[in-house]
Amino acid sequence: MPHTPPWEPGLLSSLTGVGPGPTARGKRAALRAALAAATPAAPGAAMPAAAGAVIEPLVLPGATDALGARLVEEAGFAAVYATGAGLANAGYGLPDIGLVSQAEVADHAGRLAEATRIPLICDADTGYGGPLSAMRTVRLLERVGVAGLQLEDQEMPKRCGHFDAHTLIPSGHMQTKIAAACEAREDDGLVIIARTDARSAYGIDEAIERGRAYAEAGADALFIEAPRTVEELELVGRELAGVPLLVNVVEGGKTPQLDVAEYARLGFGIVLFANYLMRSMHLAGREALAHLREHGETASRAGRMATWSQRQELFNLPAFSAAESALDREYGSFE
């Protein structure tokens, strides 16, 4: 007869990053279900039983590291976004002007995907080249466990969508890149989001036309970057209804800051806050260090930092300690 494993049932599966957990395929299915629930019907489409109900948008906070991804999961969000600008800023101390490589992004995304049980969407910039490079990007990111990835239509080197002076590849070339990226998937569940920066380069009408073309090429969701007004947001939501639409909320950026319910009313099922967490941590860290430099102590500021136990609980130390104890014995010793 087989021996009884020397650990309690479920103990090892609680060890995120080490023990068994949700599969990449399962995470992709969860992400697709969330996108389906967050997509309003196209005009003239058969309406579901709950017609007229406001969609429940997927609120997508960004993270720059595993700590951020854990905080997003702990807060109860359904998915997390590996921000490219945040990686450049927080990981390398660089501006978001296309200086981080394909391999660096894939390595980073793998760490974040491993650290959380919720789906991870990764900013993959332009795919780091033409269609063949985009195909390899898909394979690399799929291999490390991402649930979705975003490709954009800027020329290399790319720039943050809320900067100025963008240069885009032709729309037809981007369609080819998207189609090739979709073909490269081993798992059809992998979500591919197509972003266009055409609003900044050519205007909102061109951005909408490109969005429509990218959906025809196989993109699962559309990211029309940096609409300037509520009227432009409404136009995008109306003209591209029936496809999951993402709006990027950049505090101080070019797109109007609304609440999540208002974005949903305008037709956007995915509301991305790519660098809200990083920027909040930035200010908190600056204030903490200023206090230390001025006062030479941290005890008086203890109420404004995570406690020792909160830190250890976030990284699951109690379960890991229990697992170490359980595994420090011979197999079958529970019998």
Side-chain angles (χ1 to χ4, degrees), residues 235-290:
L235 181 65
V236 171
R238 181 173 66 250
E239 292 296 318
L240 297 175
V243 181
L245 297 176
L246 183 153
V247 59
N248 184 21
V249 182
V250 177
E251 298 81 7
K254 296 179 178 180
T255 297
Q257 282 188 250
L258 311 174
D259 62 37
V260 168
E262 181 64 8
Y263 288 124
R265 188 191 70 78
L266 293 169
F268 293 87
I270 313 163
V271 186
L272 171 63
F273 294 86
N275 290 296
Y276 167 71
L277 179 59
M278 180 190 72
R279 291 171 62 180
S280 297
M281 288 179 162
H282 176 171
L283 183 58
R286 174 175 283 176
E287 292 174 349
L289 292 170

Side-chain angles (χ1 to χ4, degrees), residues 87 98-106 128:
L87 173 60
L99 298 174
V100 183
S101 73
Q102 177 191 65
E104 288 168 328
V105 168
Y128 310 97

Side-chain angles (χ1 to χ4, degrees), residues 7-325:
W7 55 80
E8 295 297 326
L11 176 60
L12 299 191
S13 63
S14 71
L15 307 180
T16 302
V18 172
T23 65
R25 187 178 293 272
K27 290 180 179 180
R28 291 164 191 153
L31 177 59
R32 283 191 173 272
L35 294 183
T39 307
M47 300 299 288
V54 176
I55 61 174
E56 183 64 34
L58 174 65
V59 179
L60 191 60
T64 61
D65 55 19
L67 166 62
R70 284 287 179 86
L71 289 173
V72 170
E73 181 179 4
E74 182 186 58
F77 292 97
V80 61
Y81 180 82
T83 159
L87 173 60
N89 296 165
Y92 295 94
L94 296 170
D96 182 24
I97 55 173
L99 298 174
V100 183
S101 73
Q102 177 191 65
E104 288 168 328
V105 168
D107 179 67
H108 173 69
R111 289 196 299 272
L112 268 64
E114 189 77 6
T116 180
R117 303 173 74 85
I118 59 177
L120 175 78
I121 298 174
C122 182
D123 180 356
D125 287 348
T126 65
Y128 310 97
L132 290 176
S133 292
M135 291 174 72
R136 184 161 186 263
T137 298
V138 168
R139 297 296 294 271
L140 289 173
L141 292 176
E142 187 176 43
R143 193 178 304 150
V144 299
V146 306
L149 60 92
Q150 166 202 315
L151 297 171
E152 62 196 58
D153 59 3
Q154 289 191 45
E155 287 188 353
M156 294 179 67
K158 58 88 61 183
R159 302 173 63 82
C160 169
H162 288 252
F163 291 172
D164 295 317
H166 301 104
T167 305
L168 275 56
I169 64 174
S171 177
H173 289 187
M174 183 62 178
Q175 284 185 292
T176 299
K177 183 181 289 191
I178 292 166
C182 291
E183 184 72 16
R185 292 180 291 198
E186 289 187 352
D187 179 2
D188 288 341
L190 181 71
V191 172
I192 294 181
I193 301 169
R195 166 178 146 177
T196 181
D197 288 85
R199 170 59 187 89
S200 296
Y202 305 119
I204 193 64
D205 292 335
E206 173 69 11
I208 290 170
E209 285 305 308
R210 282 186 175 237
R212 190 172 288 119
Y214 300 166
E216 290 174 357
D220 299 300
L222 299 176
F223 178 172
I224 309 300
E225 177 66 297
R228 301 298 199 272
T229 64
V230 172
E231 289 74 23
E232 288 189 0
L233 288 165
E234 188 172 26
L235 181 65
V236 171
R238 181 173 66 250
E239 292 296 318
L240 297 175
V243 181
L245 297 176
L246 183 153
V247 59
N248 184 21
V249 182
V250 177
E251 298 81 7
K254 296 179 178 180
T255 297
Q257 282 188 250
L258 311 174
D259 62 37
V260 168
E262 181 64 8
Y263 288 124
R265 188 191 70 78
L266 293 169
F268 293 87
I270 313 163
V271 186
L272 171 63
F273 294 86
N275 290 296
Y276 167 71
L277 179 59
M278 180 190 72
R279 291 171 62 180
S280 297
M281 288 179 162
H282 176 171
L283 183 58
R286 174 175 283 176
E287 292 174 349
L289 292 170
H291 175 94
L292 176 58
R293 183 169 179 82
E294 180 180 355
H295 300 286
E297 54 79 33
T298 59
S300 66
R301 205 174 180 276
R304 300 186 64 188
M305 57 191 289
T307 66
W308 174 265
S309 61
Q310 286 173 327
R311 173 189 168 192
Q312 305 311 329
E313 287 168 5
L314 180 65
F315 298 106
N316 213 6
L317 178 62
F320 274 89
S321 297
E324 282 187 320
S325 177

